[in-house]
Amino acid sequence: MNVKEIGVHTRLEGIALALAVMLLYWIVQWFVALFAVGAYTLYLSAIGVERDFSLGLVGMPSVQITVSLVSSLVVVLLLWAIQLFKFKQVKFHGLPVSHAILLGALLIAFSIGITVLTEFTGLPDYSTASVSNMLSSLWGVLAIAFIAPIGEEVAFRGAILQKLMDKGWSSNGAIFLSAIVFGLVHANPNQIFFACILGYLLGWVYVRTQSIVPCIGLHILNNLMSVALYYCLDDESASTAEQFGLPAAIGIMVVTLIISAVVFYYLRPRLREMF
C-alpha cells in the first residue's frame, strides 16, 4: 500500500469514526430513554396511577428531561473512557473581550437569520411539542440550554472534528463533514439545515481556538436565545412572518445574515493570527 493509499484509507477511517460516534450518540439516548420509561412505568404502577402512554415521551416531560440530562453526561464519560475525547481539549487560552463579544454577535445574528430562512422552507418541525413540554420546567431549561450543548460539543467538535483532522482530513474538510453529521443527528427536517450551518460555525471556532470551551459558550448562547424567544413570543409555534408580517420577516433575515457575514469576514483573519 503506497502513501496515497494509506492516506485514503486513514481518511475513510475518519468517516467511519464520525458515523460511529453519531450512532453512539443515538444509542445512548435511546437506551437511557428506554430505561427511564421503564422506571417511570414501574413507579406509576407502584403508586396505583394509570397513564396513557400513547403520546410516548411527549406526554412525559419529566422523563424527557431525565433522558436529556443523563444521556449528555453518559456520552461525555463514554467518549472520554474510550479516548475519543481528552480533557486537554477543554483548555482555553482566552479571547480578547472584543472578539468574544463579536463571536456572540455573530452567533445571534446568524441564528436569527438562518432560523427565519428555514421557516420559509416550510419543512416540518417534529420537536415543537417535545421542547414545549421540557421548557415548562426549570430542569428542562437547564437540560436544553446548558447540559445538551456540553454533550453535543464534546461529541461533535471534541471527538468527531478532532479525530477527522487526526486522520488526515484538512481542517475545512473536517469542519464540513462534522457539521453534516451534526445536522443529521438531530433527525428533524426543520433543524437539519440550521444545525449543519451552526455546526460549521462552531467547528470553525474550534479549529481556530483548539478548545471546546468557546464552542460550548456559543452553543449555550444559541440555545438560551431559543429559550428566551419561547417565553417572550405570544405563540412560540408561529413563524416570524406570522408574528411580525412577511416584509418584516424578510427584512430581519436579510439584515441579520448581512451582519453575520460582515462579522465573520472581520473575525476570520484575526482569530487565525491569535491561534
Side-chain angles (χ1 to χ4, degrees), residues 151-163:
E152 290 179 359
E153 289 312 306
V154 167
F156 295 97
R157 258 59 66 183
I160 291 178
L161 175 53
Q162 183 59 54
K163 290 303 177 182

Side-chain angles (χ1 to χ4, degrees), residues 191-202:
Q191 287 182 299
I192 289 176
F193 177 68
F194 172 76
C196 286
I197 305 298
L198 177 63
Y200 188 89
L201 173 62
L202 294 174

Side-chain angles (χ1 to χ4, degrees), residues 235-247:
D235 181 3
E236 68 279 356
S237 63
S239 67
T240 306
E242 292 170 336
Q243 290 276 349
F244 305 106
L246 182 58

Side-chain angles (χ1 to χ4, degrees), residues 1-13 167:
M1 186 178 291
N2 58 38
V3 175
K4 184 177 180 180
E5 289 174 334
I6 292 174
V8 172
H9 179 73
T10 303
R11 283 191 279 273
L12 288 175
E13 285 182 349
K167 293 295 184 179

Side-chain angles (χ1 to χ4, degrees), residues 12-25:
L12 288 175
E13 285 182 349
I15 295 177
L17 187 62
L19 295 176
V21 172
M22 182 177 74
L23 288 175
L24 174 67
Y25 191 85

Side-chain angles (χ1 to χ4, degrees), residues 188-237:
N188 182 12
N190 187 263
Q191 287 182 299
I192 289 176
F193 177 68
F194 172 76
C196 286
I197 305 298
L198 177 63
Y200 188 89
L201 173 62
L202 294 174
W204 175 74
V205 172
Y206 176 79
V207 169
R208 294 295 182 271
T209 62
Q210 287 298 294
S211 171
I212 65 168
V213 172
C215 302
I216 291 173
L218 289 171
H219 202 148
I220 288 174
L221 177 61
N222 176 75
N223 289 17
L224 275 176
M225 186 171 61
S226 297
V227 171
L229 288 174
Y230 171 84
Y231 286 110
C232 291
L233 296 176
D234 296 330
D235 181 3
E236 68 279 356
S237 63

Side-chain angles (χ1 to χ4, degrees), residues 7 24 41 51 53 104 117 151 157 170 174-175 181 222 233 240 246 272 275:
L24 174 67
T41 303
R51 176 131 189 183
F53 290 97
L117 178 61
R157 258 59 66 183
S170 67
I175 291 171
V181 174
N222 176 75
L233 296 176
T240 306
L246 182 58
R272 183 182 289 116
F275 298 95

Side-chain angles (χ1 to χ4, degrees), residues 25 65-76 134 138-154 216 219-220 223-224:
Y25 191 85
I65 293 167
T66 301
V67 170
S68 181
L69 291 171
V70 175
S71 62
S72 294
L73 176 61
V74 170
V75 164
V76 171
M134 290 183 67
L138 179 60
W139 283 105
V141 173
L142 177 67
I144 290 175
F146 295 96
I147 305 302
I150 294 174
E152 290 179 359
E153 289 312 306
V154 167
I216 291 173
H219 202 148
I220 288 174
N223 289 17
L224 275 176

